[in-house]
Amino acid sequence: MKKLALLGALALSVFSLAALADEKPLKIGIEAAYPPFASKAPDGSIVGFDYDIGNALCEEMKVKCTWVEQEFDGLIPALKVRKIDAILSSMSITDDRKKSVDFTGKYYLTPARLVMKEGTAVSDSLTELKGKKIGVQRGSIHDRFAKEVLGAQGATIVPYGTQNEIYLDVAAGRLDGTVADATLLEDGFLKTDAGKGFAFVGPAFTDAKYFGDGIGIAVRKGDALKDKINAAIAGIRANGKYKQIQDKYFNFDIYGPEAK
């Protein structure tokens, strides 16, 4: 009987290992072009806050994850055709996007800002933007905001495929400025040599109509993966892993206020 029990246990163990081996890894879509959230190291590997948070969530869920690079405006289409299983790429939670995908709760929240030549005066009314050329990433949450709000004040909105292309044209004087996530702009441009002589101007933009309820992880409609990721976010917030990753990149609380 003991031998039979031992054989049964071994068989179950082998079966479990085989099942894990056969289980498909979770494919996470990301655009690695926006430090400090996601960018490429000299060796070609992905680094950044989003990447580290994603790996921590996978560890918390005890699942194997692989990263799939994709331009930002192609992430939701890739999710829909099952090229990826989730989007973890600083994507704002908005009502418009909720029509296409489901979102987890936020994993961080920062405002949008304008960057222009240092000393440029921009009031809360934004009327000083009349005739200015403002670059914005096509397909981003800032795209619609720029067209509807900044464009209404007479700014010419110029869409680009990537934020890095915008930085080049701002530095070269082909654009008067850009609007994007404040942390992204600070680390990706203002703290670099190319960003010298430029600064944040005007107010911080936080209108939920455009910027939603923070940055979340997108999954397909009705996918139970959402609940698993939400539990994992709560888990890494509780065990200190989130703060450990946050402190690696930021000297402030990027998560923002807790939901009421």
Side-chain angles (χ1 to χ4, degrees):
M1 289 295 291
K2 288 182 179 179
K3 288 183 179 180
L4 286 174
L6 179 61
L7 287 171
L10 287 172
L12 182 61
S13 176
V14 170
F15 177 80
S16 298
L17 289 171
L20 286 172
D22 291 339
E23 187 178 341
K24 292 181 179 179
L26 191 68
K27 293 175 289 185
I28 304 176
I30 192 170
E31 183 176 27
Y34 306 101
F37 296 100
S39 60
K40 288 294 194 69
D43 64 0
S45 61
I46 304 173
V47 295
F49 177 77
D50 280 351
Y51 180 72
D52 287 356
I53 287 291
N55 287 331
L57 292 174
C58 291
E59 183 179 344
E60 182 72 14
M61 293 187 290
K62 296 179 172 56
V63 297
K64 180 181 178 182
C65 292
T66 59
W67 292 87
V68 180
E69 290 186 62
Q70 177 82 48
E71 285 194 3
F72 191 85
D73 58 1
L75 285 168
I76 288 179
L79 180 66
K80 287 185 170 183
V81 299
R82 298 179 179 272
K83 181 180 177 182
I84 55 178
D85 302 305
I87 299 170
L88 203 166
S89 194
S90 292
M91 183 171 282
S92 297
I93 304 166
T94 66
D95 288 339
D96 189 50
R97 286 180 176 144
K98 286 178 184 177
K99 296 173 185 175
S100 301
V101 300
D102 281 347
F103 278 100
T104 65
K106 70 170 185 176
Y107 67 97
Y108 79 86
L109 173 63
T110 54
R113 293 295 303 271
L114 267 169
V115 160
M116 300 178 75
K117 279 284 189 182
E118 196 170 10
T120 302
V122 177
S123 64
D124 289 354
S125 68
L126 307 175
T127 53
E128 298 87 350
L129 296 180
K130 184 176 181 180
K132 303 295 186 183
K133 292 174 68 176
I134 304 297
V136 67
Q137 186 187 4
R138 185 184 301 110
S140 71
I141 194 62
H142 307 91
D143 191 350
R144 179 186 167 208
F145 169 78
K147 289 170 181 173
E148 293 186 8
V149 177
L150 308 187
Q153 299 304 323
T156 299
I157 308 304
V158 186
Y160 284 74
T162 70
Q163 193 68 32
N164 287 337
E165 293 175 281
I166 297 173
Y167 295 152
L168 291 173
D169 279 3
V170 170
R174 290 184 286 270
L175 289 171
D176 295 298
T178 181
V179 62
D181 177 87
T183 309
L184 184 152
L185 289 169
E186 183 171 8
D187 284 81
F189 185 61
L190 294 179
K191 288 183 177 179
T192 70
D193 289 341
K196 289 179 179 177
F198 294 88
F200 289 127
V201 301
F205 305 114
T206 57
D207 188 343
K209 173 182 176 182
Y210 297 101
F211 303 110
D213 301 313
I215 306 299
I217 300 166
V219 299
R220 282 182 288 275
K221 281 283 189 182
D223 195 332
L225 178 61
K226 180 182 78 171
D227 294 333
K228 294 178 182 177
I229 296 176
N230 275 331
I233 292 172
I236 65 171
R237 293 270 301 156
N239 66 20
K241 186 64 176 179
Y242 182 96
K243 188 176 188 306
Q244 180 185 336
I245 296 169
Q246 170 190 275
D247 292 350
K248 178 179 174 182
Y249 296 97
F250 312 108
N251 58 4
F252 61 94
D253 176 16
I254 194 171
Y255 185 79
E258 296 286 352
K260 294 181 180 180

